[in-house]
Amino acid sequence: MQPRFPFGTLFIIDQNESPRDGDVILIKMKLEKVLSLRELIIDSPKWQLQPIVSGSENLFFDATNHSIIGVVVLTVLHKRD
């Protein structure tokens, strides 16, 4: 099975876009100071952050631990020959 985003995928992220259910978002984990791409699943009042990479854990959005950097609005597969 192919990964959702193959190696070489270019992500265009809009910092001004409001996230919606099903969007892929870039988040910053404040404590670890790392960035992560996650799929946002909104099941009000909870926001679940599902991993793009299999084997990673599901998270629940918490503004004290996470900040949303932006929403992926376009992906382009660039394959170098």
Side-chain angles (χ1 to χ4, degrees), residues 43-58:
D43 188 13
S44 208
K46 295 183 179 180
W47 286 22
Q48 185 175 5
L49 305 169
Q50 293 187 339
I52 300 299
V53 177
S54 61
S56 296
E57 66 179 296
N58 286 340

Side-chain angles (χ1 to χ4, degrees), residues 5 11 13 23-30 32-40 49-53 56-59 61 65-72:
F5 298 110
F11 297 92
I13 297 171
D23 282 343
V24 174
I25 60 174
L26 181 64
I27 63 164
K28 180 178 180 182
M29 297 181 196
K30 294 178 182 179
E32 297 87 0
K33 296 183 177 154
V34 296
L35 299 176
S36 180
L37 277 177
R38 298 284 176 143
E39 181 177 1
L40 176 63
L49 305 169
Q50 293 187 339
I52 300 299
V53 177
S56 296
E57 66 179 296
N58 286 340
L59 302 172
F61 180 79
N65 295 324
H66 309 110
S67 60
I68 297 174
I69 303 300
V71 176
V72 174

